[in-house]
Amino acid sequence: MKKYGLLSVLLLCLTACSVPRQAEKAASRSAIVWTNQLVEPLLVFDNSVISYRLKPKYRRRAVPFSAAEKALPLKGDTHNYDLNSLDGRYYTVAERKNKNGYDYKLIVYNAGGDNDTEILVTQLNSYKQGKPIDALLLELNFTFEIAYSSRYIVDNKSIRIDQYAINGLQCSEDGDIIGTKEVPDSTVWRLVYHIKDGQFMPASVQQIK
């Protein structure tokens, strides 16, 4: 009897110890931290369009934009580009549904730029029961005289985007390109958004460089 009593106590201890670990794992699964590091391994640079593109195996997995997704206004600085997907498709890098039923997708696609160049677009979409709610531009990665890119962090409650603009060209007073600068000029703007009920709410904008 003592033997079985000790065994029962041991099993109870193991169960009690495993519950916090299971809860921690569940919390970890429900939490998100999305950054550029998720997207970068999926890309390859294409000199013919002076832009990053998805590697072929990921392009083949891209899905068409729905009519509702196309109609969703895109928040963020688009640099006056239309940002329509060149093939009408996007690739889902990551996806998460929270406890309130809101679904978030990190998506990537290519849009048309200037003079036959392309723009790599990374954006965050939100949905409720499959219906698109909001869309936020996380990064435009392209070069047309000035190189543009962003570093971003998305978590459960907020989004931080550092937008970089690097100008390495030296121009005459008439605006003609006459060479390159030894030290490129660069600016960095930080944008912060809060996430609430599937909406990406602007919180702050500041120049940090």
Side-chain angles (χ1 to χ4, degrees), residues 16 18-19 59 84 88 114-115 118 145 152 197 201 203:
S18 67
V19 168
R59 286 206 304 270
N84 296 317
D114 293 296
N115 296 345
E118 292 186 7
E145 297 184 357
Y152 53 84
D197 298 331
M201 314 295 292

Side-chain angles (χ1 to χ4, degrees), residues 17 53 87 98 113 132 139 160-161:
C17 291
R53 281 178 165 179
D87 60 1
N98 70 10
E139 180 181 27
R160 191 186 75 197
I161 307 169

Side-chain angles (χ1 to χ4, degrees), residues 91 94 168 180:
Y91 177 76
T180 57

Side-chain angles (χ1 to χ4, degrees), residues 6 8 24 26 29 40 69 75 108 125 156 175 180 187 199 202 205:
L6 288 171
S8 299
E24 184 179 345
R29 285 194 297 268
E40 287 168 355
E69 287 172 326
K75 292 178 178 176
V108 176
N125 283 6
N156 291 336
T180 57
T187 58
Q199 296 285 340
V205 179

Side-chain angles (χ1 to χ4, degrees), residues 131-194:
K131 180 181 177 181
I133 298 173
D134 208 354
L136 175 65
L137 182 62
L138 296 178
E139 180 181 27
L140 289 184
N141 193 305
F142 71 102
T143 300
F144 186 70
E145 297 184 357
I146 297 175
Y148 296 94
S149 63
S150 296
R151 310 302 293 179
Y152 53 84
I153 299 176
V154 180
D155 62 30
N156 291 336
K157 297 181 179 179
S158 64
I159 303 155
R160 191 186 75 197
I161 307 169
D162 289 347
Q163 295 180 336
Y164 292 78
I166 301 175
N167 183 2
L169 298 179
Q170 188 173 358
C171 299
S172 67
E173 294 181 0
D174 298 327
D176 297 324
I177 298 173
I178 57 175
T180 57
K181 300 173 183 176
E182 291 185 8
V183 180
D185 297 325
S186 62
T187 58
V188 184
W189 286 85
R190 175 165 293 173
L191 293 75
V192 176
Y193 292 81
H194 292 160

Side-chain angles (χ1 to χ4, degrees), residues 9-21:
V9 171
L10 179 60
L11 288 172
L12 284 171
C13 289
L14 288 172
T15 302
C17 291
S18 67
V19 168
R21 286 198 294 269

